[in-house]
Amino acid sequence: MKAIQRMNPDDHLVSAKELKDVVAFGRKCSKTAFPNPTREGCPERARLRAMAHRDPRLTLEDLPIAHIVRCSPCFQEYLHLRRMSLLVRGLQITAASLVVLAVFVTAVLFVKDRISGRGEPSVSQQKQQRSEPQPNVVTPRPAVPVSPIPIKIDLAAFSPTRGDEKQDSRKKLHLPQKLLRVTLQMPLGMEPGEYLVRLKDSAGTDYADIRALGRINDGTTSVEVDLDLATASPGNFTLMIRPPGLSWRRYPVVIE
Ligand SMILES: [Zn+2]
């Protein structure tokens, strides 16, 4: 572990190859070579998940590599999460190519239509003609089970804390245990720019750590982030937001 760390002294970012090596090594050692029924010293599931998703912000120190290769339950869990991550990515690619296909077919139909039809159709006719063939193309089967649910949160309605003060008495954000596309509407006066958004569980472990661009529209800045809460355990979380040039704001969240 120490040796691996020294190999990468500048940024400690984990390369895909290093992770592959871990998996290959683990496979060699078999899945049951290191039973750990009491799960002693096991890392948080969130950390395994981040590792399985190849979170590019992870550093080697963050990764429980040394533990995983010596703990069969963790190793199996990692393999499982990794498979899920690849599966989700595969589905996203499938969804994207379906959209491309749909747009392409629609364009072809539209061009054919214009060539065969006499005269210039009006704009409204064009729109109708374009949208009509689409449903047949897009829905060969509902192969897109993982499209995020859009949610809008007006943070002006919630009061943040800047330190570690008690949060019990305050209004909590309730989020469903789903894949979400959250639009965070910032309180008035918040500048557009780079926002940092984190979601921590009650143990203080990062569940999500996202950089996003705050855009201003009609005087209010909003930030859009995707939060995959499908695998989050229900309970109390803390949503942390750092507007550009300002300190962290904390909002209590309940995932249910
Ligand atoms: Zn373990």
Side-chain angles (χ1 to χ4, degrees):
M1 187 66 201
K2 276 273 143 47
I4 302 173
Q5 283 181 4
R6 249 177 268 128
M7 276 165 54
N8 204 350
D10 296 321
D11 49 10
H12 301 293
L13 290 179
V14 181
S15 73
K17 191 188 172 305
E18 282 163 342
L19 279 173
K20 234 177 238 165
D21 289 347
V22 173
V23 174
F25 175 73
R27 284 221 175 89
K28 229 185 286 171
C29 291
S30 114
K31 290 177 185 172
T32 50
F34 303 99
N36 185 4
T38 53
R39 304 301 298 267
E40 219 178 296
C42 291
E44 299 275 334
R45 203 183 152 88
R47 229 201 289 174
L48 285 179
R49 192 184 302 107
M51 183 174 166
H53 288 297
R54 306 258 161 98
D55 189 323
R57 286 164 303 234
L58 282 180
T59 66
L60 269 179
E61 285 96 305
D62 291 335
L63 293 184
I65 295 178
H67 174 85
I68 288 176
V69 296
R70 283 175 192 79
C71 173
S72 291
C74 279
F75 182 69
Q76 283 181 298
E77 206 171 340
Y78 169 74
L79 283 187
H80 172 72
L81 290 167
R82 180 75 195 128
R83 269 195 294 268
M84 296 301 287
S85 165
L86 289 175
L87 183 71
V88 167
R89 208 167 300 169
L91 287 173
Q92 281 167 348
I93 289 166
T94 311
S97 42
L98 269 179
V99 169
V100 171
L101 181 71
V103 170
F104 175 75
V105 172
T106 310
V108 168
L109 289 176
F110 177 62
V111 170
K112 270 175 111 179
D113 201 63
R114 286 197 65 166
I115 291 168
S116 61
R118 304 277 156 193
E120 293 286 305
S122 73
V123 174
S124 63
Q125 276 172 336
Q126 281 182 28
K127 267 189 183 159
Q128 278 171 6
Q129 282 157 358
R130 288 173 78 149
S131 57
E132 259 162 22
Q134 227 165 355
N136 300 331
V137 179
V138 185
T139 50
R141 207 189 294 172
V144 199
V146 280
S147 55
I149 299 167
I151 279 195
K152 196 167 190 173
I153 299 170
D154 184 3
L155 287 173
F158 298 87
S159 51
T161 55
R162 285 175 187 80
D164 284 324
E165 62 189 78
K166 280 271 164 273
Q167 310 178 329
D168 301 330
S169 55
R170 293 184 303 124
K171 208 164 133 189
K172 289 180 178 178
L173 278 157
H174 289 254
L175 294 175
Q177 215 182 348
K178 300 263 167 59
L179 173 60
L180 305 177
R181 177 153 299 164
V182 184
T183 304
L184 297 162
Q185 202 173 330
M186 303 305 297
L188 272 176
M190 289 291 174
E191 301 283 336
E194 192 187 63
Y195 280 72
L196 299 181
V197 178
R198 280 186 193 157
L199 189 65
K200 281 177 183 292
D201 65 16
S202 52
T205 311
D206 280 354
Y207 187 83
D209 188 349
I210 302 163
R211 246 168 235 276
L213 201 63
R215 294 167 206 278
I216 195 152
N217 188 22
D218 281 341
T220 49
T221 299
S222 58
V223 183
E224 192 181 272
V225 290
D226 281 359
L227 285 176
D228 186 1
L229 304 181
T231 51
S233 32
N236 289 310
F237 283 73
T238 305
L239 177 68
M240 297 175 62
I241 299 173
R242 202 182 74 184
L246 297 172
S247 56
W248 287 99
R249 269 88 177 137
R250 293 171 169 80
Y251 300 87
V253 171
V254 180
I255 292 176
E256 51 198 8

